[in-house]
Amino acid sequence: MTTQHPQEKVIETFNYNGATVDLVEWQDTIWCGKIGYALNNTDEPNVDKIMSEFMSLNNIVVNERENDWDVCMSVNYLSAERPNGVMFGFLVAMEQQPDGFDIYKVPATQYIRICMCEETAKTLEHEPWNGGIPPYEWIGEQIAPKFGYRYGNDTLPIFEYYGYYNPDKNAHEFRYLYVPVEKD
């Protein structure tokens, strides 16, 4: 099952060996949450610390937040020239937010997205992804070239977008991986 978000436009849908692959275009977006970076260009950021800081803001009301969706962004993972960063947060409609939150603005761009599920992993001949650095190479090195695309601007984030958390299942109804792309 796939869904389209109000901030994105599906440009084209591809079939990759039975897996649905969407080329989507996003408008400029504003993300609110907590972000942290590695201390150098080779290490990983302290993800547990970033998550803890994000969770500590859990009871603060945010201005014009997108309901029922959360993001985990991987920043600078397409470049070895800048420290890797991670942001936990959500989409908002305005930059003005309560103290303690970080704001991250992303310009309009195109992404290829896939549903992060066992069926997609199997179709792509990979083990299911269960957390950690998202398998962006599935899109950038396996899927995108087949349809005439390559990784996009390396200043754009890769993100995991989670929708509609179901506490009974301890899982989200939707899990998507987005990788910025451009025409080859």
Side-chain angles (χ1 to χ4, degrees), residues 65-152:
R65 174 190 173 159
E66 179 183 44
N67 292 325
D68 296 321
W69 287 87
D70 299 296
V71 72
C72 177
M73 283 193 198
S74 297
V75 179
N76 297 332
Y77 277 75
L78 297 179
S79 170
E81 299 173 13
R82 294 177 301 280
N84 291 338
V86 169
M87 180 179 198
F88 296 104
F90 33 80
L91 186 67
V92 292
M94 61 190 305
E95 288 183 59
Q96 296 72 31
Q97 298 297 335
D99 289 341
F101 287 98
D102 298 320
I103 300 298
Y104 191 82
K105 293 170 35 176
V106 178
T109 197
Q110 289 186 349
Y111 293 89
I112 286 183
R113 80 168 180 182
I114 58 173
C115 183
M116 293 299 293
C117 61
E118 192 171 320
E119 294 82 17
T120 300
K122 184 176 179 181
T123 299
L124 297 174
E125 299 178 348
H126 294 284
E127 291 296 316
W129 176 73
N130 290 312
I133 299 170
Y136 58 87
E137 66 280 353
W138 293 5
I139 293 175
E141 297 166 26
Q142 185 175 350
I143 296 171
K146 182 172 180 176
F147 299 109
Y149 288 86
R150 66 177 180 271
Y151 287 121

Side-chain angles (χ1 to χ4, degrees), residues 10 29 31 37 48-50 54 59 63 68 74 84 97 107 110 120 135 153 165 181-182:
V10 176
T29 52
W31 300 89
Y37 293 89
D48 291 336
K49 180 178 183 246
I50 300 164
F54 176 63
N59 293 324
N63 299 318
D68 296 321
S74 297
N84 291 338
Q97 298 297 335
Q110 289 186 349
T120 300
N153 181 328
Y165 181 75
V181 294
E182 54 191 30

